């Protein structure tokens, strides 16, 4: 029997499903019973993370802890959190829980180092970038982050909030390709899709080549942490 | 605040994600916090339902009950079960729990009647068909079921088990289109994709037109049962 995985989800709900789908497809299994037991709490009462970090919005920590405890009570042995911005609260959350919480930005930075990447673009919410979650993880692994300029960052936020979360803007109407071109010109060898809504948008737009998907990195780490055989050797 | 939805999942894991995605896309919401709180138990310890019903395999009921109780303890107000075959155990499961479990085949049959459909093909596992789960639900609503012949049924089983669950056969290598043509010639006005793995395969194959997807019927019913605004009026 593998360990049971708890997913602190709802940030957003689609990103939770995206992680679950990636875990399923990265597990070497030929029938239902060979997959990992996952319990996902799509806790939509968790307040917006970027709003809390940058604009004094409601603190997400109490609901993150509530989800973590709910999953522990339901039997989770390992926890994951499919939201990059929420990792700003990783230390406080881990402190409040008895169960280890895998750290998506650190796993991603370690994967970049392993692949020999020295400079990587970080596409993320304003909250993730300004919280320094990726800057810290990159520094630990000797990877230099490259961020979009102000216009590029506004396009990334539009893709995340209006495109994926609210579905009020067509993804292809957000000018993302020039942002990627600009980052590559500034020396980024790889683009890290450091918001869990971005891999969904990038796959739909056919832009995922040359990008590293932290959701996929986390999914593969979760399969391994639960002791299940992985279907691939690498998240690339 | 909407009601909390509990998902008794893992039958299979992909079908659980498919239901969750459909619930998310059928909810009228413009930010994470406007979505339904869902808790999904991807309980891969639930034994194969068809094997139990037809071949004396291990009884799924104890694990179904365990999942239901786990979700009740975690706060679920309404339960769903994204597996058609598992509805063979619906009465016994409901008996063992305090929380209502929506009934996917009955909701689907009621939707057919509402749409004026008199004859509908049922594409399902051997277990679902021989358990009479759909036959009973159709009879209650005055809809006549049409089933594939033996070769057609073997193709459907291959698509479900080898195509979606085990991923050891390419979906397009399973000859499904002649099965659909044969069913339509025999008077089926609509094909009901009465195994939760089939909408996944049919969407990938571009065959979903003219089919009713019980996962989508269940998703819309779940949104309404939780009291959230639906993004559409009908599951067609």
């Amino acid at each position: 029997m593998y360990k049971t995985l708890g997913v602190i989800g709802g940030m957003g709900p689609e990103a939770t499903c995206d992680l679950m789908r990636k875990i399923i497809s990265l597990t070497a299994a030929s029938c239902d019973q060979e997959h990992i037991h996952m319990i996902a709490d799509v806790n939509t009462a968790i307040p917006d993370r970027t709003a809390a970090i940058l604009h004094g919005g409601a603190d997400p920590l109490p609901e993150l802890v509530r989800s973590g405890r709910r999953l522990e009570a339901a039997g989770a042995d390992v926890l994951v959190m499919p939201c990059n911005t929420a990792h700003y609260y990783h230390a406080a959350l881990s402190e409040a829980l008895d169960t280890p919480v895998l750290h998506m930005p650190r796993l991603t930075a370690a994967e970049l180092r392993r692949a020999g990447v020295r400079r990587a673009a970080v596409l993320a919410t304003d909250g993730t970038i300004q919280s320094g979650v990726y800057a810290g993880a990159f520094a630990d692994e000797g990877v230099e982050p490259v961020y979009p300029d102000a216009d590029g960052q506004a396009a990334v936020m539009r893709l995340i909030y209006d495109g994926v979360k609210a579905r009020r803007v067509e993804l292809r109407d957000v000018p993302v390709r020039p942002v990627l071109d600009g980052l590559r010109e500034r020396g980024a060898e790889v683009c890290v899709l450091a918001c869990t809504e971005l891999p969904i948008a990038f796959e739909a737009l056919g832009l995922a080549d040359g990008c590293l998907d932290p959701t996929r990195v986390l999914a593969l780490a979760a399969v391994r942490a639960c002791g299940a055989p992985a279907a691939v050797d690498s998240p690339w």
Side-chain angles (χ1 to χ4, degrees), chain A:
Chain A
M1 276 301 296
Y2 309 136
K3 288 184 182 173
T4 295
L5 183 72
V7 181
I8 301 177
M11 306 177 282
E14 283 218 47
T16 307
C17 290
D18 188 50
L19 174 70
M20 293 171 74
R21 275 183 38 237
K22 283 169 182 164
I23 289 170
I24 294 162
S25 75
L26 293 178
T27 305
S30 61
C31 63
D32 298 353
Q33 293 75 22
E34 290 174 11
H35 282 277
I36 293 167
H37 180 200
M38 284 192 267
I39 311 171
D41 187 27
V42 182
N43 181 0
T44 50
I46 302 172
D48 189 84
R49 287 65 60 199
T50 286
I53 295 168
L54 298 185
H55 312 299
D59 183 4
L61 185 61
E63 279 299 331
L64 291 170
V65 172
R66 204 163 291 153
S67 271
R69 293 213 179 116
R70 191 178 286 138
L71 292 164
E72 285 179 334
D77 303 304
V78 180
L79 294 170
V80 289
M81 196 160 49
C83 171
N84 287 279
T85 318
H87 284 75
Y88 179 70
Y89 306 97
H90 182 274
L93 177 65
S94 297
E95 187 78 18
L97 300 176
D98 299 318
T99 311
V101 185
L102 301 185
H103 195 298
M104 175 158 49
R106 283 186 203 141
L107 289 163
T108 301
E111 185 57 43
L112 291 170
R113 186 186 44 72
R114 200 171 298 127
V117 174
R118 305 302 305 268
R119 296 188 98 188
V122 179
L123 299 183
T125 61
D126 296 347
T128 296
I129 293 176
Q130 294 187 40
S131 72
V133 167
Y134 269 85
F138 273 33
D140 289 346
E141 303 288 349
V143 180
E144 188 188 335
V146 185
Y147 300 105
D149 59 18
D151 285 352
Q153 183 58 27
V156 171
M157 285 296 278
R158 193 139 181 262
L159 194 66
I160 295 168
Y161 278 87
D162 297 336
V164 181
K165 287 190 194 284
R167 283 171 282 160
R168 73 179 143 232
V169 163
E170 289 289 332
L171 297 177
R172 65 175 170 277
D173 291 343
V174 183
V176 181
R177 201 180 287 270
V179 181
L180 299 181
D181 292 343
L183 290 162
R184 288 185 183 124
E185 275 163 27
R186 288 164 53 209
E189 299 155 54
V190 166
C191 284
V192 178
L193 306 178
C195 169
T196 48
E197 317 298 70
L198 288 174
I200 299 168
F202 271 57
E203 277 161 32
L205 291 168
L207 289 175
D209 271 5
C211 294
L212 182 61
D213 171 5
T215 302
R216 198 171 154 86
V217 173
L218 180 64
L220 185 56
V223 170
R224 289 172 175 157
C226 288
V232 298
D233 289 329
S234 141
W236 291 89

